Amino acid sequence: MTEISHSIIILFIIIGAFLNLAAAYGVVRLPDVYTRNHAASKATTLGVVFLLLATFLFFYIEMNLFQSRLILTIVFIFLTSPVSGHLINRAAYNSGVKLWDKSVRDDLDVTKKEAGT
Amino acid sequence: MILQVCTKVCLFIIILFSVHSFFAGHYEPGGGFIGGLMTSGALVLLLIAYDMKTLKNILPIDFKYLIAVGLLFAVGTAAASLFFNVPFLTHAFGDVQIPILGETALHTATLFDLGVYLVVIGVTMTIIQTIGEDE
């Protein structure tokens, strides 16, 4: 029982750390603000959630502590992190940050022209 | 729009957590200062997502009075010990019969902490509102 739970916890921690690393790598490698934000807001959310889940399971199985605030944190991060990514991207677009040269499609551009701004 | 909907959900989680850390302050990390800061953080989130008027509609309080009430709580609990012939700021502890909740263990340090809580909310919101209104 403890072996299985230990391996699950270890697996969760490794997945979480790997996703955070992948997010950091994506922020360095990707060409423009929007794709970078895409990497940062998606991958880190899942990475942090995996780490928190591993922490929760560790405390629950090893010490028999039900840490409800960790679950609350998971819900909270799932709720707020995409919203913050959206707001940062929106602010970047509205202040006129250019897209990557090779990007094909800009849906917001059409609505912008229709609005006449 | 997304921010406003998200604020509606998050606000209750933040305020609930701040109240929890305020009441858990005796046995766990937390207390009046952190609880007050977190509550005012929730109010600031409301201020960012909506505007000053909405906050005033929801909470029609002058936050400067909140500082005064908080200080009154702190000094009041400190001075109340003088009436029982014990030194200033001596706290009492006891089981009290409350009509709805039944017998509850209460400590007057909680009232002192409530004073800290109110003062922290008042000071933070006063600072942010006066900076925000300044044009």
Side-chain angles (χ1 to χ4, degrees):
Chain A
M1 179 60 198
T2 48
E3 286 304 313
I4 298 171
S5 63
H6 278 180
S7 46
I8 289 174
I9 291 167
I10 289 169
L11 192 71
F12 273 15
I13 289 179
I14 288 172
I15 291 174
F18 171 75
L19 282 173
N20 281 342
L21 184 71
Y25 193 66
V27 170
V28 175
R29 286 283 296 168
L30 286 171
D32 69 347
V33 177
Y34 308 103
T35 46
R36 277 179 195 165
N37 201 331
H38 162 83
S41 62
K42 264 184 186 161
T44 45
T45 309
L46 202 61
V48 170
V49 164
F50 264 113
L51 287 178
L52 286 170
L53 209 61
T55 319
F56 172 76
L57 284 176
F58 177 77
F59 276 107
Y60 186 55
I61 292 167
E62 291 293 309
M63 301 172 192
N64 220 2
L65 281 172
F66 190 85
Q67 293 275 35
S68 55
R69 62 187 74 184
L70 283 174
I71 292 182
L72 200 65
T73 319
I74 291 174
V75 172
F76 198 74
I77 282 181
F78 254 133
L79 212 65
T80 53
S81 168
V83 175
S84 66
H86 164 81
L87 286 174
I88 292 169
N89 259 1
R90 201 181 154 79
Y93 191 87
N94 286 341
S95 57
V97 177
K98 290 276 183 298
L99 272 70
W100 186 30
D101 305 331
K102 288 180 189 164
S103 42
V104 205
R105 200 175 152 141
D106 187 0
D107 280 341
L108 272 178
D109 199 33
V110 180
T111 52
K112 218 179 195 178
K113 271 170 194 157
E114 276 170 5
T117 47
Chain B
M1 180 66 203
I2 290 174
L3 179 66
Q4 294 185 345
V5 174
C6 187
T7 302
K8 277 179 198 162
V9 181
C10 291
L11 196 75
F12 293 104
I13 302 179
I14 299 173
I15 287 182
L16 208 69
F17 192 64
S18 75
V19 170
H20 165 261
S21 67
F22 166 70
F23 279 114
H26 202 71
Y27 296 107
E28 283 172 37
F33 187 75
I34 292 192
L37 270 185
M38 222 183 291
T39 307
S40 54
L43 296 179
V44 169
L45 185 64
L46 202 67
L47 209 62
I48 290 171
Y50 294 88
D51 52 355
M52 208 79 87
K53 262 185 206 158
T54 321
L55 185 67
K56 270 188 185 147
N57 279 333
I58 293 170
L59 272 183
I61 308 170
D62 191 351
F63 288 101
K64 287 181 217 85
Y65 291 119
L66 214 60
I67 303 176
V69 172
L71 282 176
L72 208 67
F73 261 106
V75 175
T77 42
S81 62
L82 288 179
F83 291 110
F84 299 100
N85 275 333
V86 280
F88 193 66
L89 265 175
T90 308
H91 286 299
F93 173 79
D95 295 329
V96 186
Q97 284 285 348
I98 297 177
I100 303 167
L101 300 172
E103 193 171 306
T104 325
L106 291 178
H107 198 286
T108 51
T110 313
L111 287 175
F112 190 80
D113 227 20
L114 185 67
V116 175
Y117 181 80
L118 294 178
V119 169
V120 169
I121 294 177
V123 168
T124 319
M125 293 315 291
T126 310
I127 290 171
I128 286 165
Q129 275 191 336
T130 43
I131 291 174
E133 275 170 351
D134 193 40
E135 278 175 15

